[in-house]
């Protein structure tokens, strides 16, 4: 009720500890050099503007979206079931937040005009979707395991398989865009984007884990990917299940 | 067939545990397929109170070249300086929410139409001049850049605590210039690097 006149949260979000956020200027990722600032960032005290964000009503029941069904039939490739939760640093669920995902198809090609990789498009796979987390911060979707693909960053450069995630969270301060990787991918040690994160534990957080419990017999492998947003210094007044 | 997460009703199972936050990664060159569904370049509607404004500009790299694959997100208060706090049933449908998302075009330009936000003074220790929060995403940026847009025709700017925290000779990068030839039109560019580099914030 009348939440416009009520502080949304009595909270200030914690700083990221060193080694989690990649440097803006990271020469191994060639595109960063001319597209990143050189001046130091100016500290910004969190005000109401940074502590608010668009919020959404969590769905009553978890209803997984399915990217594998196209207009003419099933998408090609290995079906996988991805599920997880959006949490904060203290393990509190982040309900009612918008998550957007996008990825390449099984052959490593995006449905994007600028992607000219010589690999086939799949008429039954767009590779994108969105959902709102439920009251427990949960989400689940079914998709095709994306393929690796070459890029021009350096000689013989290949991106490891990944799914892009965009998450709003409860405040402008918690907005996050990241990538989910797959366990055991041999390309990870060579990838400058993954390795732009200095802290090994923070890199590993971006790797989904195989989940036997969500693996469906005779159907597809389950992967677990939890997304952890910045925590707040005080207990939010909302955000209770 | 649906995935069934473990502990479906457990919402507070790890309250005591501190989790490491998930790191940022770049949006890459193909964000359009994922973010296009919620592109929002016009937040005005027939029942939205306030002055209609349009902000136009470019995103410019170290060589002075416009960036054709950037996406800007905007977050701002309504004309009374209030933030939309009611959760929406369907993302970005219906009444004014205050969230915009605009990609740059092939020439590196963007255009955002909205209503001018009011000064923010509720639940904030110091009155803030009308402003828009901006997140900048693009290939080459490993995490977002955060900046603000103020308006050159607002007398409140002189007392704004955030503008006041920025070196005087860099403040202009945060101020959209009113177009004298067209009421409600402002120009504001993002300089990623170089002599005119925009002020970006550590939030």
């Amino acid at each position: 009720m009348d939440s416009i006149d009520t502080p949304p949260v009595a909270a200030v979000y914690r700083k990221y500890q060193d080694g989690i956020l990649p440097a803006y200027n990271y020469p191994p990722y060639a595109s960063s050099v001319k597209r990143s600032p050189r001046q130091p960032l100016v500290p910004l005290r969190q005000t109401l503007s940074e502590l608010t964000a668009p919020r959404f009503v969590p769905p009553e029941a978890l209803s997984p979206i399915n990217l594998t069904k196209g207009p003419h039939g099933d998408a090609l490739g290995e079906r996988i079931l991805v599920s997880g939760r959006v949490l904060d640093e203290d393990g509190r669920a982040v309900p009612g937040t918008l998550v957007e995902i996008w990825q390449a198809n099984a052959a490593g090609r995006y449905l994007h005009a600028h992607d000219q990789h010589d690999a086939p498009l799949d008429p039954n796979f767009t590779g994108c979707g969105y959902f709102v987390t439920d009251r427990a911060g949960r989400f689940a979707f079914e998709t095709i395991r994306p393929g690796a693909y070459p890029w021009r960053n350096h000689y013989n450069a290949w991106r490891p398989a990944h799914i892009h995630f965009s998450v709003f969270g409860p405040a402008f301060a918690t907005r996050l865009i990241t990538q989910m990787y797959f366990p055991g991918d041999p390309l990870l040690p060579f990838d400058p984007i993954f390795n732009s994160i200095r802290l090994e534990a923070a890199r590993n957080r971006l790797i989904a884990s195989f989940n036997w419990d969500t693996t469906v017999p005779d159907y597809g492998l389950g992967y677990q990917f939890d997304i952890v947003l910045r925590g707040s210094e005080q207990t939010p007044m909302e955000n209770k299940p | 067939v649906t995935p069934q997460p473990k502990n479906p009703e457990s919402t507070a199972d790890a309250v005591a545990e501190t989790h490491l936050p998930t790191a940022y990664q770049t949006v890459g060159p193909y964000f359009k397929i994922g973010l296009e569904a919620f592109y929002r370049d016009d937040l005005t509607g027939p029942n939205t109170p306030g002055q209609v404004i349009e902000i136009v500009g470019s995103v410019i790299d170290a060589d002075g070249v416009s960036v054709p694959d950037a996406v800007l997100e905007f977050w701002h208060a309504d004309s009374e300086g209030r933030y939309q706090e009611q959760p929406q049933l369907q993302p970005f449908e219906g009444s004014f929410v205050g969230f915009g998302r605009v990609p740059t075009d092939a020439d590196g330009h963007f255009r955002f139409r909205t209503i001018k936000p009011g000064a923010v003074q509720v639940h904030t220790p110091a009155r803030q001049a009308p402003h828009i929060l901006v997140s900048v995403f693009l290939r080459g940026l490993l995490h977002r850049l955060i900046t603000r847009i103020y308006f050159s025709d607002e007398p409140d700017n002189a007392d704004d605590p955030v503008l006041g925290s920025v070196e005087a000779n860099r403040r202009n990068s945060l101020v959209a210039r009113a177009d004298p030839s067209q009421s409600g039109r402002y120009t504001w560019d993002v300089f990623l690097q170089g002599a005119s580099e925009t002020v970006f914030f550590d939030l």
Side-chain angles (χ1 to χ4, degrees):
Chain A
M1 297 294 287
D2 65 21
S3 62
I4 278 178
D5 293 324
T6 308
V9 279
V12 172
Y13 291 91
R14 291 182 205 127
K15 291 283 177 203
Y16 284 97
Q17 70 183 84
D18 280 354
I20 293 180
L21 291 181
Y24 287 109
N25 179 24
Y26 185 69
Y29 177 31
S31 303
S32 75
V33 175
K34 292 194 169 176
R35 291 181 153 204
S36 56
R38 290 296 175 274
Q39 299 282 341
L41 301 183
V42 174
L44 178 61
R45 199 173 55 80
Q46 295 172 26
T47 73
L48 185 66
S49 306
E50 289 78 24
L51 298 176
T52 47
R55 295 183 307 139
F56 309 96
V57 176
E60 284 299 321
L62 189 63
S63 49
I65 63 168
N66 189 340
L67 305 188
T68 71
K69 301 292 180 194
H72 316 289
D74 290 346
L76 294 174
E78 181 194 343
R79 267 190 307 265
I80 57 171
L81 308 159
V82 180
S83 56
R85 292 173 68 200
V86 181
L87 308 164
D88 72 12
E89 282 177 84
D90 300 305
R92 283 185 289 251
V94 179
T97 200
L98 178 64
V99 181
E100 298 159 281
I101 52 170
W102 69 100
Q103 63 167 93
N105 68 21
R109 176 94 184 257
Y110 285 87
L111 183 59
H112 188 288
H114 293 166
D115 186 356
Q116 297 299 315
H117 174 38
D118 180 20
L121 285 169
D122 182 343
N124 292 313
F125 191 71
T126 62
C128 58
Y130 62 87
F131 40 81
V132 171
T133 56
D134 76 359
R135 295 176 68 87
R138 294 178 305 171
F139 63 85
F141 62 95
E142 183 173 328
T143 187
I144 295 294
R145 185 184 171 112
Y149 59 85
W151 61 313
R152 286 176 294 186
N153 188 70
H154 53 273
Y155 172 70
N156 208 7
W158 293 78
R159 288 301 328 276
H162 62 275
I163 300 175
H164 296 265
F165 277 72
S166 157
V167 185
F168 279 72
F172 179 86
T174 61
R175 181 90 175 89
L176 175 72
I177 292 184
T178 190
Q179 300 182 23
M180 177 195 113
Y181 299 95
F182 289 85
D185 192 323
L187 294 170
L188 285 171
F190 301 96
D191 183 50
I193 293 177
F194 176 71
N195 289 291
S196 66
I197 302 159
R198 212 174 65 239
L199 210 60
E200 183 182 10
R203 288 198 298 275
N204 289 339
R205 171 155 309 292
L206 300 190
I207 304 174
S209 53
F210 168 67
N211 189 341
W212 190 85
D213 292 300
T214 57
T215 293
V216 176
D218 304 322
Y219 190 76
L221 299 185
Y223 287 93
Q224 178 86 18
F225 186 59
D226 291 334
I227 296 167
V228 181
L229 304 179
R230 300 164 74 175
S232 52
E233 297 290 2
Q234 297 161 50
T235 304
M237 300 315 291
E238 301 174 329
N239 212 7
K240 296 246 165 80
Chain B
V1 178
T2 60
Q4 294 297 324
K6 273 167 108 171
N7 303 326
E9 294 312 318
S10 168
T11 61
D13 52 344
V15 169
E17 188 183 342
T18 296
H19 299 264
L20 199 61
T22 304
Y24 252 87
Q25 295 274 267
T26 181
V27 293
Y30 308 127
F31 61 78
K32 178 182 176 183
I33 68 168
L35 301 181
E36 186 175 33
F38 295 121
Y39 283 176
R40 292 289 180 273
D41 66 357
D42 187 349
L43 306 189
T44 66
N47 301 315
T48 313
Q51 180 200 354
V52 173
I53 60 169
E54 184 175 66
I55 302 169
V56 299
S58 303
V59 178
I60 297 153
D61 75 8
D63 294 331
V65 175
S66 295
V67 171
D69 54 357
V71 58
L72 305 179
E73 286 185 355
F74 304 102
W75 176 240
H76 70 86
D78 68 12
S79 59
E80 302 291 321
R82 297 172 306 195
Y83 283 94
Q84 170 63 256
E85 266 301 309
Q86 303 294 352
Q88 285 194 292
L89 271 173
Q90 291 296 324
F92 310 120
E93 281 184 6
S95 60
F96 176 82
V97 175
F99 173 78
R101 176 187 281 170
V102 181
T104 54
D105 63 19
D107 297 318
H109 304 314
F110 69 88
R111 181 180 301 271
F112 178 50
R113 196 164 182 267
T114 189
I115 55 102
K116 197 175 195 183
V120 176
Q121 48 195 341
V122 180
H123 307 304
T124 193
R127 177 184 167 94
Q128 298 188 68
H131 65 277
I132 296 176
L133 268 63
V134 185
S135 295
V136 181
F137 303 96
L138 44 103
R139 173 180 64 80
L141 272 184
L142 286 159
H143 61 111
R144 69 170 167 172
L145 289 168
I146 294 167
T147 186
R148 282 185 172 209
I149 300 174
Y150 289 83
F151 301 92
S152 62
D153 50 3
E154 286 292 334
D156 282 348
N157 289 348
D159 301 318
D160 182 84
V162 173
L163 272 180
S165 73
V166 173
E167 287 174 84
N169 63 352
R170 298 191 67 204
R171 251 172 240 165
N172 273 347
S173 71
L174 301 174
V175 181
R177 296 178 307 281
D179 183 339
S181 66
Q182 195 178 334
S183 174
R185 191 169 196 264
Y186 296 85
T187 56
W188 180 77
D189 297 318
V190 179
F191 291 92
L192 297 168
Q193 204 185 106
S196 315
E197 186 179 304
T198 297
V199 166
F200 300 109
F201 292 106
D202 179 16
L203 177 59

